[in-house]
Amino acid sequence: MPRTPALLPAIRLAWILAAALILVLAGPASAAPSPGEGNQSLLGNDISWPQCKKELPKGQAFGIVGVNNGLANNTNPCLEEQLEWAETSPGLPTQPAVSLYVNTANPGSAGSWWPVSDEYPIGRHVHNPYGPCEEGDYGTACAYMYGYAKAYDDAYIRGISNPADYVWWLDVETENTWSSDKDANRAVLEGMTDFFHSIGVEGVGLYSTGLQWGRIVGSVSSSSNLYPLPSWLAGSRNAYRAAGACSKAPLTGGGTVVLTQFVARGFDYNHPCKQEP
């Protein structure tokens, strides 16, 4: 039906209002809810060495703090004050007020240190499910010990008081050094998980994207201690997509997606996939 001139202004106005409503609802890709707006009180933040000496997020429901300074063998220089920031979080029924994450890697011969036995620290024998670790071995046995040792260091020499009181997330990303041997990479993470479980931590989880996990670790069998661990999925572009990412496949077949991450206004925000236990 042809539009009469009298109707055109009203039609234009309707289209303008509809477009404005869409923009308000969708928001820019990088925008995050402001404090007190929408579901801001349900979002957490994670911080680490890149936020040293910078303004930190406010009003977070929970905080996740990086223990390392970008590598598996060093310490976040701002760990103490960032833990104090996280401790101001109220927490949620499904998320503790404070959790920790650690960098992971499998540097092999390129590392500044590599195990040559099943002792760590010296004098303390570790049961190794892959057999004895020996000098010159860069396969699963010594990779397991490397992971075990790095987790020990994270718990006891980085400045964490009462390490058993936390959930520990293993940050698995391609920007760190990894072997082309996915079995050995998996063994590193299994060694870390076994150590954290041995001291009775509140929980262990896996952080990555599906793509990076596939390149580094690949599929995980049900016999691995990684199989039932929860997933924290990175890579969402905004809050809306982070909520939708809760329905994605977990990193391991026996796990569930419990957190999803998006970046906005220079901060990492984390969406809990469940608000109630």
Side-chain angles (χ1 to χ4, degrees):
M1 177 186 297
R3 295 171 181 160
T4 64
L7 289 175
L8 287 176
I11 292 171
R12 289 195 189 99
L13 179 60
W15 276 107
I16 291 170
L17 291 174
L21 180 61
I22 290 171
L23 288 173
V24 168
L25 292 175
S30 63
S34 300
E37 178 182 272
N39 288 332
Q40 171 69 11
S41 62
L42 298 179
L43 294 176
N45 293 99
D46 63 273
I47 61 171
S48 189
W49 62 271
Q51 286 75 44
C52 275
K53 311 305 180 184
K54 296 180 181 178
E55 184 178 359
L56 299 178
K58 296 180 177 65
Q60 73 282 355
F62 54 94
I64 308 176
V65 179
V67 172
N68 307 106
N69 193 32
L71 299 174
N73 62 353
N74 57 20
T75 305
N76 175 0
C78 298
L79 181 58
E80 183 177 358
E81 58 247 51
Q82 290 183 356
L83 284 172
E84 291 175 356
W85 163 84
E87 287 165 0
T88 66
S89 311
L92 294 173
T94 58
Q95 288 297 322
V98 185
S99 297
L100 304 173
Y101 78 86
V102 294
N103 289 108
T104 63
N106 181 11
S109 60
S112 59
W113 176 84
W114 188 255
V116 295
S117 73
D118 291 327
E119 288 189 2
Y120 199 86
I122 295 174
R124 176 179 173 177
H125 179 78
V126 176
H127 170 71
N128 192 329
Y130 292 104
C133 167
E134 299 174 341
E135 187 170 0
D137 173 14
Y138 299 104
T140 53
C142 286
Y144 177 90
M145 283 304 302
Y146 180 82
Y148 189 99
K150 293 303 102 182
Y152 178 99
D153 291 350
D154 289 331
Y156 291 131
I157 73 170
R158 307 279 177 225
I160 300 296
S161 300
N162 304 313
D165 291 347
Y166 298 97
V167 172
W168 293 75
W169 291 95
L170 310 183
D171 182 350
V172 184
E173 299 186 64
T174 52
E175 64 187 42
N176 289 109
T177 304
W178 294 97
S179 169
S180 59
D181 182 349
K182 292 182 179 181
D183 288 341
N185 294 340
R186 186 191 68 246
V188 169
L189 303 177
E190 290 172 339
M192 299 185 81
T193 300
D194 273 348
F195 171 77
F196 284 129
H197 283 162
S198 76
I199 63 171
V201 300
E202 288 296 314
V204 180
L206 305 169
Y207 168 93
S208 194
T209 65
L211 179 62
Q212 292 182 89
W213 182 264
R215 289 177 176 175
I216 296 168
V217 182
S219 60
V220 174
S221 74
S222 59
S223 62
S224 170
N225 62 8
L226 305 180
Y227 188 76
L229 299 185
S231 295
W232 172 15
L233 297 184
S236 295
R237 292 182 58 192
N238 54 40
Y240 176 79
R241 293 189 178 185
C246 288
S247 62
K248 288 186 175 181
L251 299 172
T252 58
T256 56
V257 179
V258 300
L259 286 174
T260 57
Q261 183 191 68
F262 66 100
V263 180
R265 299 174 184 171
F267 293 124
D268 291 346
Y269 287 85
N270 296 291
H271 172 85
C273 293
K274 290 177 62 179
Q275 278 79 51
E276 297 295 334

